[in-house]
Amino acid sequence: MADHERVMEKIVSLCKRRGFVYQGSEIYGGLAGTWDYGPLGAELVDNIKNCWWKKFLYDREDIYKINAAILMNPGVWEASGHVSGFADPLASGKLFNTMFKTSAGAGEDAATVYLRPETAGGIFVNFKNVVDSFHPKLPFGIGQIGKAFRNEIAPRDFIFRVRELEQMEIEYFVRPEEWEQKFEEWRRGVHEFMEMVGIAKKSVHELEVLDGERAHYSKRTIDFEFDFPFGRKELCGLAYRTDFDLSAHEKASTVELKYQDPDTNKKFTPHVIEPSFGVERTFLAVLVSAYTEDTLGGETRVYLKFKPSVAPIKAAVFPLLKNKPELVNKAREIYTELKKDIPQIMWDDNGNVGKRYRRQDEIGTPYCITIDFQTLEDNTVTIRDRDTGEQERVSAADLSTTLWKNLKT
Ligand code: ATP
């Protein structure tokens, strides 16, 4: 087995063993292209999404969050070109539309509807609503995180290519003459976000998608590729979509989707820049970037070098011995207090302290806090750093402040 295959196998096995990712419907033999996030995976997903919202919404003022329905009027997907063109070639040469179909309503009234293949559709149909509610000035964006469904012919490579996925997308509306400048800003933003969640910079490569290979509506697309263990593959994309979407939905719905310049009163159709991220591929790139094998104190170990911002558990609290009620009670007290300030805290009293360290390293917990006999005397605890294995003693009274400071740096 090649080294990269071995790494992938180890990551998949760690994900299952430690409760990050399970096969979908596993006890029934699974369902191809579906995966379930376990307790730690679900936290990691939420942390990735929170970083995304922080970077692209809370740290700026020009993005509006929405949460649109997954089932939409089929007209949306006719206008966007998905009904006629969202297809992959089959080995037999026939094109296969990868949208999932279902029906809404009963009996003769049942109508064919599609599970959305991307979240962008929900954003475009709400363009006018957001403009009418908030009167934003150009440029501004509408962002959404949500599920999308693609009936991939061959789902593969763990969570890389799945049939039920989650996307984090922004449609950023600009004046036609400013698209190039804004595209560059988003290009930087994409890299900054990757750094924020701990995706290894050296493994990210931009691929300028050439004329003829881009979607017909796009005048420029960059695929951000990542060196996954199974090859260099698309992680996320940035596309300049011109005014294709708003114009197409305006034409098909007959509802005007224009922007009125508040200074000149002139109406025009904004152009769109779309950074589009997949949660699963971001999750996998974060995991691959974090996966580390090293030697600590003469022992080899595996650990996930997560950035604190995405680590599912920020700190674990241990009583040194679990059969000493005075230690357990004190540790419980400290754990309960800490959890009020930092919710992603874990209680761990299984096995000896060495084993607990190994386990927490393997799930990427940045800090382990041990309550020992000295704690009972002077109210200090040890904090152990995941990456260096070094420990320092700090006052339990300052624990929350110290931890916050450490997690931020
Ligand atoms: P690919 O070429 O790999 O099929 P795509 O170009 O069709 O991807 P987009 O339509 O641009 O992908 O979707 C935006 C993002 O959504 C992708 O960059 C990826 O992160 C994610 N994504 C798309 N399809 C899948 C899938 N089947 N499984 C997991 N993530 C996906």
Side-chain angles (χ1 to χ4, degrees):
M1 195 189 284
D3 266 0
H4 62 272
E5 284 172 21
R6 215 167 283 130
V7 167
M8 198 55 210
E9 203 171 79
K10 285 179 185 174
I11 289 175
V12 173
S13 143
L14 189 156
C15 280
K16 157 116 177 130
R17 192 172 65 252
R18 294 296 184 203
F20 283 87
V21 183
Y22 306 125
Q23 193 184 2
S25 320
E26 187 178 354
I27 61 168
Y28 285 92
L31 177 69
T34 66
W35 296 88
D36 296 341
Y37 292 108
L40 296 184
E43 292 295 342
L44 177 53
V45 164
D46 282 352
N47 293 345
I48 289 171
K49 291 184 196 169
N50 288 339
C51 285
W52 191 85
W53 283 125
K54 174 166 167 38
K55 169 79 190 147
F56 294 127
L57 182 124
Y58 296 115
D59 285 357
R60 46 197 293 163
E61 295 176 22
D62 56 349
I63 306 289
Y64 296 79
K65 182 195 281 195
I66 64 159
N67 188 349
I70 288 173
L71 297 178
M72 302 181 75
N73 186 305
V76 174
W77 307 115
E78 278 155 25
S80 65
H82 283 82
V83 171
S84 58
F86 197 61
D88 279 344
L90 286 170
S92 55
K94 262 212 283 145
L95 278 179
F96 171 72
N97 192 303
T98 55
M99 278 201 295
F100 274 100
K101 259 188 207 172
T102 186
S103 57
E108 286 184 0
D109 292 337
T112 297
V113 292
Y114 303 94
L115 301 188
R116 67 182 177 201
E118 59 180 34
T119 55
I123 295 180
F124 290 120
V125 300
N126 281 293
F127 169 80
K128 183 173 167 10
N129 285 332
V130 173
V131 168
D132 290 348
S133 303
F134 297 93
H135 308 288
K137 287 216 169 133
L138 281 182
F140 72 92
I142 303 178
Q144 168 163 235
I145 297 181
K147 293 270 189 178
F149 302 82
R150 299 182 180 191
N151 197 359
E152 297 281 357
I153 296 169
R156 62 188 173 278
D157 293 325
F158 191 35
I159 55 171
F160 176 82
R161 186 169 299 286
V162 293
R163 291 186 172 142
E164 177 175 335
L165 58 134
E166 205 162 13
Q167 291 183 314
M168 308 185 279
E169 293 195 303
I170 289 169
E171 305 306 322
Y172 195 68
F173 302 99
V174 301
R175 293 172 192 276
E177 62 276 14
E178 65 184 349
W179 81 264
E180 277 156 308
Q181 181 209 339
K182 296 297 164 196
F183 191 93
E184 284 309 313
E185 286 174 20
W186 279 102
R187 184 180 183 177
R188 279 198 297 280
V190 168
H191 285 290
E192 285 161 10
F193 169 71
M194 291 193 201
E195 195 175 340
M196 187 176 179
V197 293
I199 292 175
K201 218 181 180 137
K202 64 174 180 1
S203 306
V204 176
H205 311 274
E206 289 189 5
L207 175 76
E208 187 77 46
V209 183
L210 301 175
D211 282 353
E213 289 174 19
R214 287 190 299 267
H216 60 281
Y217 49 76
S218 173
K219 284 246 177 81
R220 186 171 182 200
T221 298
I222 294 178
D223 284 350
F224 293 80
E225 298 188 314
F226 180 79
D227 294 322
F228 290 100
F230 42 83
R232 187 174 289 184
K233 301 267 160 90
E234 177 178 330
L235 167 57
C236 60
L238 179 66
Y240 166 46
R241 300 176 65 114
T242 67
D243 62 352
F244 168 80
D245 305 273
L246 289 181
S247 297
H249 288 302
E250 176 174 287
K251 192 163 165 230
S253 67
T254 70
V255 174
E256 187 179 84
L257 298 177
K258 292 206 167 47
Y259 175 81
Q260 183 166 23
D261 189 299
D263 300 324
T264 62
N265 284 336
K266 246 182 79 190
K267 282 185 178 177
F268 61 95
T269 309
H271 283 217
V272 168
I273 292 163
E274 178 195 70
S276 175
F277 297 83
V279 169
E280 287 73 17
R281 292 186 190 179
T282 307
F283 184 109
L284 192 52
V286 166
L287 267 182
V288 170
S289 304
Y291 185 87
T292 314
E293 293 177 5
D294 74 354
T295 312
L296 187 71
E299 269 185 57
T300 53
R301 65 162 179 168
V302 167
Y303 74 108
L304 293 177
K305 201 172 179 171
F306 284 138
K307 282 211 162 176
S309 56
V310 295
I313 303 295
K314 310 297 186 217
V317 176
F318 315 155
L320 180 66
L321 300 169
K322 73 170 177 187
N323 56 357
K324 295 279 174 207
E326 62 275 35
L327 285 182
V328 174
N329 291 342
K330 183 67 184 171
R332 272 264 152 212
E333 193 186 295
I334 289 172
Y335 164 79
T336 309
E337 270 311 298
L338 207 53
K339 220 168 151 56
K340 287 181 193 160
D341 292 336
I342 307 173
Q344 289 172 320
I345 298 282
M346 185 186 268
W347 172 264
D348 193 351
D349 60 7
N350 242 334
N352 63 35
V353 170
K355 279 209 178 112
R356 295 178 210 164
Y357 284 154
R358 289 295 96 82
R359 186 161 52 239
Q360 294 300 331
D361 286 349
E362 215 185 3
I363 64 172
T365 306
Y367 298 103
C368 290
I369 295 149
T370 304
I371 285 75
D372 55 18
F373 291 105
Q374 195 178 325
T375 315
L376 303 178
E377 285 164 23
D378 63 6
N379 204 34
T380 60
V381 297
T382 61
I383 301 189
R384 183 245 190 200
D385 181 289
R386 174 196 66 202
D387 300 348
T388 62
E390 279 168 16
Q391 299 183 29
E392 59 167 330
R393 268 206 106 80
V394 302
S395 153
D398 303 332
L399 189 55
S400 172
T401 320
T402 310
L403 213 50
W404 267 123
K405 208 174 81 210
N406 289 359
L407 290 168
K408 285 224 165 101
T409 45

